[in-house]
Amino acid sequence: MKTIHIHEQFKEDWNRVLNHIANLFYEDSVIQFTQDGADMSISFTHKIDPDFTIRTSAELIVEGQLYRSNYAIGYGTEGTEKEQSIRMKRALSHVMLDVLEQYTGMTQQWGILTGVRPTKLYHKFRKEGLSEKQIFDKLKTDFRLSDGKIQLLKAIVARQLHVIPDLDEIGREISIYIGVPFCPTMCAYCTFPAYAIQSNRKAGRVEKFIDGLHIELRELGKWLTEKNMRITSIYWGGGTPTSIEADEMDALYATMFESFPNKDSIREITVEAGRPDTITPEKIEVLKKWGIDRISVNPQSYTQETLKAIGRHHTVQETIDKFWLSRNMGMNNINMDLIIGLPNEGIEEFQHSLEESAKMQPESLTVHTLSFKRASEMTRNRDKYKVADRDTVSEMMRMASNWTEENGYVPYYLYRQKNILGNLENVGYCKPGEESIYNIVIMEEVQTILGIGCGASSKFVHPETGKITQFHNPKDPAAYIMTFQEAIQKKIEILNELYR
């Protein structure tokens, strides 16, 4: 941790952005406005010229050394008060990043971007009519992205537009996320709604939750039917939706198909079967009965000691066996996840995971970089978990990129997280033609995602303005059981405002 003294106390949101920049270099950095106990000191200058050029500078003093940076950018128009604030935050970020890069010797491949969805920025410039060269120059000059990251964004955007040619007009349709909050056990890095199913079943909460989910599917299905809404994609997540029994899954899918309109135009249905220890022949037969062949079987790692350390109580061999069971029973589109930087894993262990993946050749492989999520067990007890350093995780990401290219995969979606190792990213790769439509639309925020079930977040995107309103169902099953009726009414009110 580093304490950074800043000479001028800015607006709260400006300070927050500068703190994000500092965190790219130092874990849990602290910004303060007094010199006492500070590890380094930064002073800024900033002004707007009459021609609306923004000029900033920074001087970093640390260990008796001085580092300087200057930056200027012209806008040509005054802009609104909000636009002026955004421009100034960006310009201050430039010079702060530069002096910290000078001092540390680190180069931040994502430049000043600290947000979750960098592809949204590329799409924004594309829709404004900028050419590929203009977008490249803007991302490199204004945001300090590396050439490699810009090329990655370009490739992903091109792939998304190939898969969903109507991506810019898809806001009149809707996608649906259905959350089932149970897992065999809770993984150490996880903050998703994931409650141990056996103890909840003994307490009667599983059955009550499922009863509530049937009602929510029917009630929101009525609204969708009345509005004759077209559904783009449906994603069953959690938790692990295959944690419940086969007959419970069957009944829920029956309710879904009975309740939702325009079933023939649904482009994709996915069921997250991420925990191999939940997959059985009976459950696969249920999926086949309803025409669902897109699932996830997630190893995360092919090292048994790692699975034990992160709380996944299945074996490596079980992952392999359940993949082939799913494949041989007709699951034709299987995603697998790997996580870079899991405890005690380095180059050798990740190479082994790639070699095992090569034997199976899943239709898609999502490569996550470990993120220390605030509420996870791993973050609460961080001293227990030894993870790879910045250079090692960067090399593992390079290995994943090379491996996917060699094995015929293409990148098609990307997102980032706070506290992600090495300031890296999560990338979804797939065989061409096997892209997940749901993953694209939720990451690019191009349409409403209606959340149904426990822990499900609804993201209401206005079809004309793009304005986003969020609503969250309770994560805890007991709270969901008590309040799902109120949540249904609240979501219908928001939907009625959005789709008049």
Side-chain angles (χ1 to χ4, degrees), residues 406-422:
E406 291 165 3
N407 283 270
Y409 293 82
V410 292
Y412 78 96
Y413 83 102
L414 176 151
Y415 69 102
R416 305 179 68 227
Q417 293 169 287
K418 296 235 184 321
N419 302 318
I420 195 167
L421 289 182

Side-chain angles (χ1 to χ4, degrees), residues 114-211:
T114 59
V116 171
R117 297 174 172 83
T119 41
K120 273 195 74 176
L121 188 61
Y122 198 107
H123 277 296
K124 174 179 178 289
F125 295 147
R126 174 186 65 78
K127 288 190 277 191
E128 288 174 356
L130 275 63
S131 67
E132 288 182 353
K133 183 181 185 307
Q134 288 172 319
I135 296 173
F136 183 96
D137 292 344
K138 195 169 184 65
L139 291 173
K140 189 171 183 64
T141 303
D142 295 357
F143 295 88
R144 298 179 63 103
L145 268 67
S146 71
D147 291 5
K149 297 305 182 190
I150 298 172
Q151 292 296 344
L152 177 59
L153 295 181
K154 176 184 173 182
I156 288 172
V157 166
R159 173 57 46 182
Q160 291 176 344
L161 291 170
H162 176 78
V163 175
I164 313 176
D166 57 342
L167 188 67
D168 295 343
E169 292 81 41
I170 208 168
R172 277 287 166 191
E173 295 188 7
I174 200 166
S175 284
I176 297 171
Y177 176 88
I178 304 169
V180 178
F182 303 110
C183 275
T185 57
M186 181 88 166
C187 297
Y189 54 81
C190 184
T191 56
F192 288 109
Y195 296 86
I197 190 163
Q198 291 307 323
S199 58
N200 277 276
R201 195 175 284 284
K202 288 177 183 176
R205 284 189 285 269
V206 175
E207 291 78 7
K208 289 178 182 176
F209 159 75
I210 291 173
D211 290 344

